[in-house]
Amino acid sequence: MRLFVNVDHVATIREARKTVEPNPLEAALLAEKAGADGITVHLREDRRHIQDEDAQKIRRGISTPMNLEMAAVEEMVCIALEIKPFQISLVPENRQEVTTEGGLDVIGHKERLIAIRDRLKPAGILFSLFVDPDRLQIDAAREIGADSIEINTGLYSERQAPDALKAELEKIRVAAGHAAQRGLRVFAGHGLTRKNVGSISAIDAIEELNIGHHIVSRAVMVGMLQAVEEMRLAIRPITK
Ligand code: PXP
């Protein structure tokens, strides 16, 4: 199963200060070195983390495929045609949300999605749709000619009670099998952690995962020791 590492929240830390560090491209290169099969960035309309320049630099700088997540709007289609990532994933976007809150309503936006597909696919960009584990939305994705779907694991990741967790996992398993049977490539992501990823990665139909927040959070923790040790050395007075 392929792992695409989402580096958005490296940019979130940088944007907290509007400075130059940490650099999302540097994080992407380290992720590749550690075994990432690809890099994902979400260029949001409000540019709260990844900036246009980051997307350009990551596209040029990495050696694995780039997955560009974006809203289904004209501005983003133009940017995607310029950057030419390996793949784009359309996601619903709402300015007030803290993170993506649900899958796309493919059924309700077929015409718009077909128009976007007709501009991106001829440019050689794979066309993926982020959807909830819902058979009807998956059928609609197939109908409009998506290459792949990414199943939203957000609800699964929020479930605490064992029964509810099991039910949500089963929904994902059934949806993934349904999509794969219809010839769609199946990815999954949102809210995945080291603790909850095992059951998702055991689903045969899923071939790729997109994971961001947990990896960046963990990177802060495992890197803290070295960062403080380096600072202790740096503030040691220079002896003449
Ligand atoms: N997939 C999609 C479509 C997303 O919007 C996000 C969050 O940017 C992710 C996967 C990754 O989610 P997380 O950061 O919770 O791992």
Side-chain angles (χ1 to χ4, degrees), residues 3 46 118 146 158 163 202:
L3 169 64
D46 64 9
D118 285 348
E158 284 168 17
D163 283 356

Side-chain angles (χ1 to χ4, degrees), residues 6 8-9 42 69 91 99-100 130 150 189-192 210-214:
N6 179 319
D8 290 352
H9 295 308
H42 185 173
E69 286 178 7
V91 297
T99 181
T100 312
F130 183 63
E150 179 182 345
H190 210 276
L192 295 177
N210 269 297
I211 307 183
H213 186 263
H214 177 77

